[in-house]
Amino acid sequence: MLNSQVNETQTEKNYYQLTNPRSFHFKEIQDLCKRVYPFTRPWSLEQLETHRSYFPDGQLIVIDSRSNKVVGLALSLVIDWSDYSPQDNWQDFTSGGFFHNHNTKKGKTLYGAEVMVDPTCRGQGIGKMLYAGRQEIVEKYKLKRIRAGARLRGYSKFSDKMSAYEYTKQVVEKKIYDPTLSFQLNQGFKVIDVADGYLMNDPESLGYAAVIEWINPLEATARELKRQEKKTKNFLENEKIALEFLPRELRRIVRKTTTMLGYVVKELEGEKFFNKVEFYRERVKETRLKEKKKEVLDKIFERMKKIEEEDLLKLAHAFSLQLELVNVCEGAYRSWRQSKKNLPQGIKDKVKLTYVLTAHPTESRSQLTVQRVGMIQKILIEGMQNNFTFNDELLLTQLRLLWPSSLAKTKKPTVLDEADYIYSLIFSPHIFDFILREKNGYHLKLRTWVGGDKDGHQGIDEKVMLECLEKSRHKILEIIESKLDILYIDFVHLIVLFVQKR
């Protein structure tokens, strides 16, 4: 529970008291919800009990001692912000309102899930009590920040005149007053983004919310304060990149895997190199803005001239691996989406499917790398199927194993490298068995351009074509030999059993 100082916090009107809710307060909390949002279902008893079970200190109420009524409420949980995007919605941040994602081991962000004040008691300092209580929670648990989605309560009145971004900007500049956001700005919060689809079926905000942040001055580093200042400045200058058009689930797993890659880079290469990677990543993001692209690229190239070749190769490897993981995430997302679709029924004739396999030599990967990338994709698919609950330790282990792989090229790859990559995929045992297996509904055939490019590739002639064909035959022979070895061992076991019985 919070310390006695907070439990006894009172406003100038000494009949208001801030405390942590107990089970006997839940009915009063539900009554408050009905007074504030009469057309919305209140927090359930199960949800309120779950909040108290996970994080009792994070839940605050204000009681009017004259009537013993709950007149204010603030619910919160601790999250690891790197698991989320500013564009995620309220359901994601609160695990559907149950706070199952509360995480004090890794999390350094207090997420404000709910704040409400009785309409008959507004303007009497209750909101300030709740926000001061939250700041004390942050200080007690040595958290870095408070973040929340401030629903834009007044936006529906302006939606025909301006975008949600422009509305938020004008609220920040105090040209428009918003009942929620204006109050939060006065409590020291900064706007760092605007999210669409934050709340469903909200006629006041139309689903939009400002992403707000308060930095804990006792824990924040100079770098973190500077980062917030930059985010705020970028928002006001409209220098944010809209990613909401990408599927939310895809953004979520991309963010997770690339964040974990960052952990691995810091662990294996040290914080100094990690910071260098982060510096260039942030600079490259700035090139998305056309008016700054040339200026930023010129600065990057000038700076890179001073870097040793070994570090340049390591940097190239870090970004190559990041792009590889994005491709893995896209593959995992497609597989997950396909698994949720209903298969068509009643097809009488088998469909003929022919896949044409092609790649570019720069995409070639070693067989070991292909296996490790495949394992990461499998972990992601299983996590998505398990309600986005991932095996983080196994994922980190695979990333540690993948880091030494040579994705960044030290020499120009060849068509034969490309052939090796293609064949290592299709001739992996489980895929090759699937290709040969009888399938209901369709016939499957494979073709490839590799080694037989008809577009006049300078690196392809009759010799290269023959070498590519030989490589495919060699792969097939390897699989046949491995299967014969299994049959041979089984046969020997049968003979031994037969001899023993006689």
Side-chain angles (χ1 to χ4, degrees):
M1 290 292 175
L2 291 174
N3 60 39
S4 58
Q5 181 182 353
V6 170
N7 282 326
E8 295 173 359
T9 299
Q10 297 176 340
T11 63
E12 294 176 359
K13 300 184 182 301
N14 57 15
Y15 38 79
Y16 290 141
Q17 182 182 9
L18 179 71
T19 187
N20 304 114
R22 308 290 290 274
S23 297
F24 58 81
H25 292 123
F26 291 170
K27 178 64 170 59
E28 275 294 323
I29 290 174
Q30 289 183 322
D31 290 342
L32 172 65
C33 293
K34 292 173 184 176
R35 294 196 297 274
V36 176
Y37 301 118
F39 303 106
T40 303
R41 183 182 300 174
W43 290 93
S44 70
L45 296 178
E46 184 183 1
Q47 287 173 320
L48 293 170
E49 185 57 53
T50 305
H51 303 164
R52 198 170 74 90
S53 173
Y54 281 131
F55 191 32
D57 281 1
Q59 321 316 319
L60 301 172
I61 56 172
V62 174
I63 298 175
D64 185 339
S65 59
R66 298 169 300 177
S67 61
N68 210 30
K69 281 186 176 182
V70 173
V71 293
L73 169 70
L75 306 178
S76 56
L77 65 155
V78 177
I79 63 171
D80 181 357
W81 185 260
S82 61
D83 287 342
Y84 303 89
S85 159
Q87 294 298 323
D88 286 343
N89 61 33
W90 182 88
Q91 293 282 339
D92 291 327
F93 283 118
T94 65
S95 188
F98 284 92
F99 300 2
H100 296 315
N101 53 331
H102 172 67
N103 185 348
T104 52
K105 290 183 179 179
K106 292 183 179 179
K108 291 296 180 182
T109 299
L110 185 77
Y111 192 80
E114 177 76 279
V115 171
M116 61 174 72
V117 175
D118 192 313
T120 63
C121 302
R122 287 172 183 162
Q124 299 184 40
I126 295 173
K128 291 180 181 179
M129 288 180 71
L130 293 168
Y131 277 90
R134 274 187 176 166
Q135 290 177 7
E136 186 173 333
I137 296 169
V138 168
E139 292 169 6
K140 176 180 178 180
Y141 285 90
K142 299 184 185 304
L143 303 176
K144 296 281 189 182
R145 65 188 67 84
I146 302 173
R147 279 183 177 165
R151 73 186 191 95
L152 302 177
R153 280 176 58 192
Y155 177 57
S156 59
K157 299 174 183 177
F158 295 83
S159 60
D160 59 337
K161 302 173 185 175
M162 62 186 73
S163 67
Y165 162 77
E166 184 59 34
Y167 173 83
T168 305
K169 184 178 176 182
Q170 291 204 27
V171 173
V172 172
E173 294 171 345
K174 297 186 178 181
K175 296 176 182 177
I176 295 176
Y177 176 81
D178 182 88
T180 298
L181 181 56
S182 295
F183 172 81
Q184 290 163 325
L185 293 173
N186 289 333
Q187 306 310 306
F189 282 85
K190 305 289 185 183
V191 175
I192 59 175
D193 209 333
V194 172
D196 183 12
Y198 181 75
L199 284 174
M200 297 295 105
N201 303 318
D202 182 11
E204 290 184 311
S205 69
L206 303 181
Y208 289 97
V211 183
I212 58 174
E213 178 182 61
W214 177 84
I215 294 287
N216 179 7
L218 300 178
E219 296 293 328
T221 63
R223 185 179 178 186
E224 285 164 336
L225 290 169
K226 188 176 180 181
R227 186 181 300 167
Q228 187 200 52
E229 183 182 349
K230 183 178 178 181
K231 285 180 180 177
T232 304
K233 180 174 179 288
N234 287 349
F235 171 78
L236 290 174
E237 294 177 358
N238 199 19
E239 292 187 4
K240 72 189 197 73
I241 307 303
L243 299 176
E244 56 266 31
F245 300 108
L246 294 175
R248 186 163 53 89
E249 299 87 356
L250 175 57
R251 282 189 278 116
R252 191 169 177 179
I253 59 173
V254 168
R255 187 169 59 252
K256 183 173 194 67
T257 51
T258 53
T259 299
M260 286 194 160
L261 174 62
Y263 295 155
V264 170
V265 170
K266 187 183 292 187
E267 174 189 319
L268 299 181
E269 301 295 336
E271 190 163 354
K272 185 177 179 181
F273 177 74
F274 169 77
N275 290 337
K276 190 177 293 186
V277 173
E278 280 294 284
F279 172 82
Y280 284 107
R281 188 178 68 84
E282 290 292 337
R283 299 294 78 73
V284 170
K285 280 171 63 177
E286 293 175 7
T287 64
R288 294 169 175 171
L289 300 164
K290 292 181 180 179
E291 62 273 17
K292 280 194 170 186
K293 186 172 183 178
K294 187 179 185 307
E295 176 190 345
V296 174
L297 285 176
D298 287 344
K299 287 181 179 179
I300 290 175
F301 292 145
E302 194 62 35
R303 191 179 180 106
M304 282 188 164
K305 290 177 183 178
K306 303 173 184 178
I307 301 177
E308 296 291 334
E309 186 174 343
E310 184 180 346
D311 271 0
L312 276 176
L313 182 61
K314 203 185 293 184
L315 274 171
H317 175 62
F319 285 102
S320 297
L321 189 49
Q322 182 187 24
L323 292 173
E324 187 76 13
L325 289 175
V326 171
N327 289 335
V328 170
C329 290
E330 289 177 344
Y333 172 75
R334 284 194 296 269
S335 297
W336 174 73
R337 283 294 302 271
Q338 288 297 325
S339 69
K340 296 171 75 68
K341 290 183 178 180
N342 294 321
L343 295 175
Q345 303 295 323
I347 298 177
K348 296 181 180 179
D349 298 325
K350 285 192 173 185
V351 178
K352 295 179 181 179
L353 298 176
T354 301
Y355 285 91
V356 179
L357 305 173
T358 186
H360 190 275
T362 55
E363 297 172 343
S364 59
R365 305 285 183 264
S366 71
Q367 189 165 354
L368 184 60
T369 299
V370 169
Q371 291 171 356
R372 287 172 180 164
V373 165
M375 178 58 74
I376 290 173
Q377 184 163 314
K378 182 181 178 184
I379 294 168
L380 292 175
I381 293 171
E382 289 175 351
M384 295 176 84
Q385 292 172 338
N386 191 30
N387 197 27
F388 286 79
T389 303
F390 300 89
N391 188 332
D392 288 354
E393 289 305 316
L394 185 56
L395 188 55
L396 280 170
T397 298
Q398 291 301 322
L399 288 170
R400 291 185 186 108
L401 292 172
L402 189 58
W403 174 252
S405 303
S406 55
L407 289 182
K409 309 297 181 185
T410 55
K411 62 179 182 178
K412 185 177 180 180
T414 68
V415 175
L416 293 177
D417 293 325
E418 182 182 10
D420 267 333
Y421 173 52
I422 290 287
Y423 300 149
S424 65
L425 290 174
I426 62 173
F427 292 119
S428 58
H430 63 289
I431 292 181
F432 192 68
D433 286 346
F434 174 78
I435 291 170
L436 296 179
R437 190 186 309 151
E438 180 67 22
K439 290 168 279 293
N440 295 327
Y442 63 94
H443 293 291
L444 180 62
K445 291 184 178 181
L446 299 177
R447 293 179 180 173
T448 181
W449 291 346
V450 178
D453 196 325
K454 295 178 181 179
D455 293 336
H457 191 296
Q458 293 180 353
I460 294 177
D461 54 24
E462 65 278 4
K463 181 182 176 183
V464 171
M465 182 184 291
L466 185 60
E467 288 177 330
C468 288
L469 290 172
E470 287 295 332
K471 278 184 175 291
S472 66
R473 290 166 183 164
H474 179 71
K475 291 282 187 182
I476 293 173
L477 287 174
E478 278 185 346
I479 291 178
I480 293 173
E481 286 175 2
S482 66
K483 292 185 179 299
L484 288 174
D485 286 342
I486 294 171
L487 287 174
Y488 175 75
I489 292 170
D490 288 345
F491 182 67
V492 170
H493 285 164
L494 285 172
I495 291 176
V496 170
L497 288 173
F498 179 75
V499 171
Q500 288 176 345
K501 286 184 178 180
R502 293 195 61 178

